[in-house]
């Protein structure tokens, strides 16, 4: 898993589909936001089938899908309050943009 491995994230799920990753995040996280593929998280581009759910936990952890072509899709969890706040801010902005498009 490329540079994400250097974070030493907790692996919650492995060998799953994009849909399973999204459903897990939606059902397990305290809050979640949707992003398009190419969203950068911890300095790495997140790939997948949109919408890509990124979850936040009350302890400041970020829960996210990560796909490495030869190894499949994982759901990872890493505690980083600054990154969690960045996701929250960008996620809320994305919601506001989508509401204006309607």
């Amino acid at each position: 898993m490329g540079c994400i491995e250097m974070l030493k994230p907790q692996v919650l799920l492995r060998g799953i589909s994009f849909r399973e990753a999204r459903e897990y995040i939606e059902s397990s996280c305290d809050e979640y936001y949707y992003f398009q593929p190419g969203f950068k998280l911890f300095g790495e581009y997140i790939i997948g089938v949109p919408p890509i759910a990124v979850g936040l936990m009350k302890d400041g952890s970020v829960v996210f899908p990560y796909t490495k072509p030869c190894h499949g899709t994982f759901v990872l969890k890493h505690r980083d309050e600054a990154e969690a706040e960045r996701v929250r801010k960008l996620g809320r902005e994305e919601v506001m943009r989508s509401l204006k498009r309607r």
Side-chain angles (χ1 to χ4, degrees), residues 1-93:
M1 285 189 281
C3 294
I4 287 287
E5 288 180 353
M6 297 182 74
L7 297 172
K8 300 197 183 307
Q10 179 182 358
V11 177
L12 301 176
L13 297 173
R14 68 180 68 221
I16 58 172
S17 69
F18 294 120
R19 181 179 176 180
E20 291 169 323
R22 182 176 54 247
E23 290 173 351
Y24 177 83
I25 290 167
E26 291 170 345
S27 66
S28 303
C29 294
D30 298 316
E31 60 185 298
Y32 52 88
Y33 299 95
Y34 298 108
F35 296 98
Q36 293 299 310
F39 176 69
K40 231 172 175 182
L41 193 60
F42 298 109
E44 297 295 324
Y45 292 104
I46 302 300
I47 61 173
V49 176
I52 296 175
V54 176
L56 303 176
M57 303 299 285
K58 290 180 180 171
D59 70 351
S61 295
V62 180
V63 179
F64 57 101
Y66 189 76
T67 300
K68 190 162 183 176
C70 294
H71 299 282
T73 298
F74 299 79
V75 172
L76 305 177
K77 179 179 178 183
H78 182 68
R79 187 164 188 253
D80 184 322
E81 293 182 18
E83 188 73 345
E85 188 56 39
R86 188 181 78 85
V87 167
R88 181 176 292 114
K89 180 178 182 240
L90 293 174
R92 288 178 178 164
E93 289 173 2

